[in-house]
Amino acid sequence: MNIIKIKDRNELDKKIPTMPWYVEKFINYKLPDLSPSSLLEYIRDYEIFFSWLLAEGLSSAASMSQVPLVDLEKLHMESVDNFRMFLATRREHANVKTTINRKLSALRSLFHYLSQIAEDEDFYPLLKRNVMAKIEIKRSHKPKDTAAKLEGKLLQEQEIIEFIDYVQHGYEHDVATNKQAIYSYELNKIRDGCIITLILNSGLRVSEVFNLNVDDIDLKKKLTYVYRKGKNDDTFKTPVYFRQDAIQALTDYMEIRHTRYKPVKKEKALFLAIANGKQEGERMTKRAIQEMVNKYAKRFGKPYLSVHKLRHSFATDYYLQNDLYKTQEQLGHASPETTQIYAHLTDKTMSEAIDKRMES
């Protein structure tokens, strides 16, 4: 099991006892089909719901874990509408429409399980009345809408090369008078250039980059093995190919990985960082990878760039040279509908994309 899933599974195990017994029953039912990370998101959504339920006096239970099923059966449509309004007015920046819909979808899944699948000892549904069945959750975004938001915020063809070159060479001229920045750059420029080059030549997610181990990389076959989002078989890694342009960057980094970051022998992580006050390199965190990309992006003049937008930049460029289904497979999308945003992100025709592919 990869590092993120181990951490999320431990967190999930800690939170389950704080939930009502029927939520634990639902989580156990879903465990074979969903990853610990997905189930942890469910639990976090349920924490918000049950806390709201208690705060509004819709349950007289002493704690979340003691909320009885009958309190769910007595919920009116008005209560669900009030919960939706509560979510919309919360201060958390993340509570945009898509996030609210996800929380309501999590509740619908729980209520559906309790009313349609789970049974009591007399073979009757655990939940006799399902108010959430009346709630319509509209898809809040379409590929075309996502593409419109991304337009002008990605690296285009030649810019991909220019950004990689800036990270590898140009950045030091912009921070020449900052001794601390120069020291950090000299230490990490090969690693940073390698990470950014790899993402822009493979479309890997930040979680996939974070989880990479040294033995996941096969330079001869031009591929790396990663745990793909949504796949629950933790004994099997998915091969993901990278372009020829990434080979030199990976080779250069692997040559200095041990001498520059001095990891302990048992450290398998590919990308390392030395934390303040420590002598040995450890696995670079997801946050550190994201902040690293943001640092270079701001100096490059594109402060809106992020790891995910680098992935989008690769995907748009890749789509021009391949078809929808190859792009879907390369990115690890569960549905071709998700991949369709790249069709909207370019004005090129499919015939041009096919010609370009045949020339390469």
Side-chain angles (χ1 to χ4, degrees):
M1 187 179 287
N2 71 46
I3 292 172
I4 294 176
K5 287 187 178 180
I6 292 173
K7 181 181 177 182
D8 287 347
R9 182 56 196 263
N10 290 337
E11 185 69 16
L12 182 67
D13 290 341
K14 288 179 183 178
K15 285 183 176 291
I16 283 177
T18 68
M19 291 284 103
W21 64 271
Y22 47 85
V23 172
E24 180 176 2
K25 191 175 180 70
F26 169 72
I27 294 297
N28 288 334
Y29 171 75
K30 284 288 188 181
L31 200 53
D33 301 317
L34 294 177
S35 69
S37 303
S38 297
L39 292 172
L40 182 59
E41 287 302 313
Y42 274 72
I43 290 290
R44 287 170 177 161
D45 291 340
Y46 299 151
E47 281 181 329
I48 294 170
F49 171 70
F50 285 114
S51 295
W52 173 83
L53 207 66
L54 294 173
E56 290 295 307
L58 296 172
S59 174
S60 58
S63 65
M64 287 190 293
S65 64
Q66 296 175 9
V67 174
L69 275 167
V70 67
D71 287 348
L72 303 189
E73 290 178 343
K74 291 179 179 178
L75 284 175
H76 295 287
M77 277 291 295
E78 182 182 0
S79 298
V80 178
D81 289 337
N82 289 339
F83 180 61
R84 194 199 300 261
M85 290 175 62
F86 163 75
L87 293 175
T89 55
R90 291 179 84 216
R91 292 183 180 181
E92 286 85 345
H93 178 70
N95 274 287
V96 293
K97 191 173 182 179
T98 52
T99 310
I100 293 171
N101 284 348
R102 194 205 71 223
K103 295 180 189 304
L104 292 175
S105 293
L107 277 180
R108 279 226 310 192
S109 295
L110 173 64
F111 278 60
H112 174 78
Y113 166 77
L114 295 174
S115 63
Q116 300 295 321
I117 299 172
E119 299 174 336
D120 61 20
E121 60 274 12
D122 296 319
F123 307 106
Y124 286 106
L126 289 180
L127 194 68
K128 309 301 187 291
R129 176 179 167 274
N130 179 7
V131 68
M132 290 303 298
K134 302 176 182 180
I135 303 300
E136 183 180 359
I137 302 175
K138 296 181 180 178
R139 185 177 176 85
S140 58
H141 67 278
K142 298 177 181 178
K144 190 174 182 179
D145 298 329
T146 304
K149 291 180 181 178
L150 290 172
E151 194 171 355
K153 295 183 179 180
L154 306 181
L155 296 173
Q156 304 292 327
E157 299 178 271
Q158 185 61 29
E159 286 181 322
I160 291 176
I161 299 171
E162 291 172 358
F163 184 55
I164 291 172
D165 182 69
Y166 179 78
V167 173
Q168 293 175 334
H169 307 291
Y171 177 80
E172 63 181 323
H173 299 297
D174 287 346
V175 295
T177 58
N178 187 326
K179 290 184 179 179
Q180 186 175 353
I182 283 292
Y183 173 79
S184 176
Y185 178 69
E186 289 298 327
L187 176 67
N188 298 311
K189 66 179 180 180
I190 295 176
R191 179 203 67 188
D192 296 352
C194 181
I195 292 172
I196 288 172
T197 301
L198 180 60
I199 296 170
L200 283 170
N201 284 280
S202 65
L204 290 178
R205 299 177 175 92
V206 65
S207 59
E208 293 165 352
V209 174
F210 163 76
N211 273 304
L212 283 177
N213 292 330
V214 173
D215 55 8
D216 290 330
I217 302 292
D218 189 327
L219 292 176
K220 290 183 179 179
K221 293 181 179 178
K222 293 191 296 185
L223 61 79
T224 182
Y225 295 92
V226 302
Y227 289 109
R228 274 262 131 121
K229 181 180 177 182
K231 293 193 175 182
N232 297 315
D233 185 357
D234 293 319
T235 63
F236 178 76
K237 288 187 175 184
T238 303
V240 178
Y241 289 88
F242 49 79
R243 288 170 168 165
Q244 181 73 27
D245 293 348
I247 291 181
Q248 190 60 54
L250 283 163
T251 301
D252 292 344
Y253 171 69
M254 287 192 193
E255 286 178 355
I256 60 95
R257 173 187 173 274
H258 184 76
T259 55
R260 185 159 300 182
Y261 294 97
K262 300 178 176 61
V264 293
K265 288 184 179 180
K266 65 178 182 179
E267 182 58 76
K268 298 179 180 180
L270 176 61
F271 294 115
L272 304 172
I274 301 176
N276 289 335
K278 293 194 175 182
Q279 302 296 321
E280 297 165 337
E282 299 175 340
R283 186 180 298 270
M284 194 177 182
T285 65
K286 282 202 301 180
R287 184 179 179 86
I289 295 170
Q290 291 165 332
E291 290 178 345
M292 178 270 290
V293 170
N294 292 340
K295 176 183 74 174
Y296 291 113
K298 287 178 182 178
R299 287 284 184 174
F300 187 66
K302 293 186 179 293
Y304 43 77
L305 277 180
S306 61
V307 176
H308 204 60
K309 287 189 175 68
L310 295 186
R311 172 174 155 85
H312 282 314
S313 297
F314 163 81
T316 305
D317 187 64
Y318 185 86
Y319 176 78
L320 286 173
Q321 303 175 51
N322 295 276
D323 58 36
L324 182 73
Y325 295 101
K326 282 188 178 179
T327 307
Q328 177 190 351
E329 184 178 356
Q330 176 69 22
L331 297 176
H333 288 159
S335 167
E337 184 178 355
T338 308
T339 317
Q340 284 174 0
I341 66 171
Y342 306 110
H344 296 289
L345 273 168
T346 176
D347 293 327
K348 304 284 187 182
T349 63
M350 282 304 294
S351 62
E352 287 177 312
I354 292 170
D355 289 338
K356 200 168 185 180
R357 183 182 65 199
M358 292 178 69
E359 290 169 7
S360 59

